[in-house]
Amino acid sequence: MTAAAAQDGAGAVGPILRTRGLTKRFPGVLALDGVDFDLSPGEVHALVGENGAGKSTLIKVLTGVHAPDSGEVRYRGAPVRFETPLRAQQAGISTIYQEVNLIPLLSVARNLFLGREPRRLGLIDFGRMHRDAARILHDYGVEVDVTRPLDRLSMGARQMVALARAVVADARVVIMDEPTSSLEPREVETLFSVIGGLRERGITVVYVSHRLDELYRICDRVTVLRDGRVVHTGAMAGLERLRLISLMLGREMAQVERQGATTFGGAHEQRAAEPVLVAEGLDAHRRLHGVSLAIHPGEVLGLGGLLGSGRTETARAIAGALPLRSGRVAVAGVPLRRRSAAAAIRAGISMLPEDRKGEGIVPELSVRENIALAAMPRLARFGLVSERRIDRVVEVFVERLRIKCAGTRQKVAELSGGNQQKVLLARWLALNPKVLLLDEPTRGIDVGAKAEVQRLVDELAAEGLGVMLISSDLEELIEGADRVVVLKDGAVVGELSGGEVSEGALMQAIARAGRAGAGGDAGADREVEP
Amino acid sequence: MTAVDVPAVCGDRERVIGWLQEYGVYVGVAALLVFNIAFTPHFLSVENFRTQAVQVTPVLILSLGMALVIATGGIDLSVGSVMALAAAMISLYLGYGPVAAILVALVAGAAAGAVNGALVAFAGVQAIVATLAMMIGGRGLSLVLLPQLDGIRNAGIRELGAGDLLGVPYLVWVSAALIAVVAFVVRRTVFGRRLVAIGGNRRASELSGLPVRRTLLAVYMLCGLFAAVAGVLATARLQASDPNSIGQLIELSAITAVVVGGTPLQGGRMRVAGTVAGAVLMQLLVSTLIKHDLPPSWTQIAQTAVIIAAVYVARERGRR
């Protein structure tokens, strides 16, 4: 790979930024593993990879947020080691994050010139500052009163201010992390023309995004990261879409049909005629565009798609945790009238959320309190808690899910990630649901617990539960699901069932959808990367 | 050698901190009792215990309501002003008889709590801001309703403030009953479990289908109701309604009692016995210093020391 990287693209001029053997280790994870990365002056360079591939870590090392454990960063030909993000910025490397790091209550002009205000007699020359700011922002398509506080601007305009600020600060390298995730289509066009302008001025842009269409439109070269390693560097043009996806997901096309390594059993052939869950036309502002799907009893329905395709949003919408503009959900033929988590739970929908710490466990409470949390009203009489009933339910699930704890009164925060996940599964199963939505059920848990969770999903489906499975682990998705609905930009773009469910077919479905440009406006959804 | 010793010491230290977090407040109460029995003349008398119990009543009742609010991750700064509101209501409605006047006072307290709760739960205002507004507005409203001190000459109210049943003052009976009620609510009811879960992780509680907003509203209403009870009792003891000075700065004593009692300010946990002990500890501390003729400034310094110790212990636990 490195040989390919060296010969490609740089042209006559030497690289403005180059890393060799960059390695960064966090407790338990090798986030960067000998990364060689080159940036040429005036190129737009795509940096892609799935969750945990190391994109964020690489950016943070380049901009002085993290220090590398080993390896070298050369900037404009000389080895550098930025101690703080400020140092990197002063040297000319600016980052524009998803959540713009400007000061919301200061005026637009102050934000633009913060730290380098035009001065007269030691005081800020406000007149000149405001004139300059208006002139500069005009070039970025932002026509606003620059004396107003920044927080009155739309997200897109704020991003433009951040970009303009980077250029005002003499940036040579501008790193953009998911810049279009909060932009309207019109704003995306403006951004692209601004990026074009930067390229002409010889400024290098590192463009991080999951939207393949955008990458192909504006990027010159691409670097693909996977598990902390560079798996590909090369020109964007001529790189096939399917090949790019398979590089990101880490599946060689040849080995796609090989034997599975997960603990899922075979398909669940029993499928009742009537679906247990029907969702129709789910539409959430900029996130979902008319998603429809059905889950049958005894079936595991997988949701496929890249990061940001609307998988999590679909699950949340069904579970009543995402406000919808329109759309309806019915369980066993009965439509849900109210849209709330409580109503969905009453109807028999249980959702295991993706963010275990933030939305799952109540850390200060015991294992038994955590398991009983959602089912509490059913385990009580006249508002009084029945300890006996709780104990009975808790015992059943601790045994069935093999939750390892010092006792059911142990605080859940003291358990391992895998056991915490099992406690949450127990919480949802204690409700005796008809439909179980699992959002990344095995992320961040150890191999043993992972296998147990996968086996459990299989058992539950065999018992007649309708299961929806979201997983970034492609193997898990393919082998766990009987049927896969493919999402892109918040819309359904394909479905695989029976023998079609394979890694190759899934990747082709994702790639095909991209070219067809199916579903919604360009500035569609956004899935926050944890 | 030292390398081997260090972890053992650390483990011990952690255990001691954990133990202090759990039982420190009782140790403090016991230490003060022992000190007073040894050095304070006439401490071991029925009359003294009676006085202590009566004096602790308002703070104790407030701290029970406050502990409920703090367990949900909120705070209520308005309890002192709600006491004043209740006092003003007693004076204004005494013409309808003491029972009616007390009922009106309690309803006013619950209504003030409902406003707090609605602002926090439905409007999404931060608890500290919402209740700060009520703290200022409630006091102002009481002063509009009753501009100056008004002596109360009513047999029923006087009996409530000074009378006793089986040798125990009514005030103490009321606080004992409220302690029992709160302990029951927290230990045995679904509502009690919910409020602790909401304080522990609000998003998880919402996704688990808990009626988060309704529960928060009820918790703030309860806190307002308890504050009104404290206001009624304080008025009865004083034999006068004094909206200007009643309950001034008392919210800080109530918060102190809760924190010293081991309920963490970030919520997610609720200790009833600890809260009671916390209120008793602060009362004993103040009375001990007064009995030994130390100036009021010493009292403040001693209170500060206890608060810092309590917060320090809580911090150590959180860091683990």
Side-chain angles (χ1 to χ4, degrees), chain A residues 156-402:
Chain A
R158 273 188 240 184
Q159 208 142 30
M160 292 303 172
V161 175
L163 195 58
R165 173 173 164 69
V167 176
V168 167
D170 286 327
R172 305 304 308 160
V173 177
V174 177
I175 301 172
M176 297 186 195
D177 191 1
E178 293 278 347
T180 54
S181 59
S182 52
L183 298 191
E184 301 286 351
R186 190 177 44 79
E187 295 172 326
V188 172
E189 291 307 316
T190 316
L191 178 73
F192 285 176
S193 68
V194 168
I195 290 176
L198 295 182
R199 181 195 277 149
E200 276 161 29
R201 294 167 62 174
I203 296 173
T204 306
V205 175
V206 177
Y207 194 88
V208 180
S209 177
H210 295 98
R211 300 203 176 135
L212 302 188
D213 299 336
E214 295 177 2
L215 302 185
Y216 278 102
R217 247 193 82 183
I218 61 160
C219 294
D220 306 312
R221 289 203 304 151
V222 59
T223 292
V224 183
L225 284 178
R226 194 174 73 227
D227 300 329
R229 257 172 294 204
V230 174
V231 293
H232 177 83
T233 290
M236 197 78 220
L239 178 64
E240 254 185 81
R241 203 173 269 262
L242 189 56
R243 167 111 181 99
L244 178 59
I245 293 170
S246 80
L247 282 167
M248 285 165 67
L249 299 181
R251 305 278 174 248
E252 290 305 323
M253 301 310 292
Q255 63 167 65
V256 156
E257 297 292 339
R258 71 192 176 80
Q259 200 64 11
T262 58
T263 53
F264 289 112
H268 310 100
E269 65 277 19
Q270 297 294 337
R271 189 195 286 184
E274 286 299 307
V276 64
L277 179 110
V278 176
E280 278 174 353
L282 303 180
D283 197 304
H285 183 55
R286 307 223 307 217
R287 300 194 191 181
L288 295 178
H289 308 283
V291 171
S292 300
L293 50 83
I295 306 174
H296 299 265
E299 176 190 50
V300 178
L301 175 73
L303 280 194
L306 294 175
L307 193 75
S309 57
R311 295 169 301 176
T312 293
E313 284 79 0
T314 302
R316 297 182 80 89
I318 293 171
L322 180 77
L324 286 180
R325 277 198 301 213
S326 63
R328 49 175 230 112
V329 175
V331 177
V334 184
L336 264 65
R337 275 191 310 257
R338 289 187 53 221
R339 302 229 113 263
S340 72
I345 287 169
R346 270 197 301 278
I349 300 173
S350 282
M351 179 184 70
L352 183 77
E354 182 182 16
D355 182 358
R356 187 167 64 232
K357 276 215 166 58
E359 307 198 312
I361 61 165
V362 185
E364 283 286 301
L365 294 185
S366 65
V367 169
R368 74 193 283 283
E369 297 285 333
N370 265 285
I371 292 177
L373 184 68
M376 194 68 86
R378 302 176 194 199
L379 301 173
R381 209 186 250 168
F382 309 120
L384 298 186
V385 173
S386 162
E387 304 291 349
R388 207 165 37 83
R389 287 198 212 176
I390 292 181
D391 279 333
R392 219 159 39 207
V393 169
V394 168
E395 267 167 38
V396 167
F397 285 105
V398 166
E399 192 170 326
R400 171 158 188 198
L401 304 186
R402 272 174 281 179

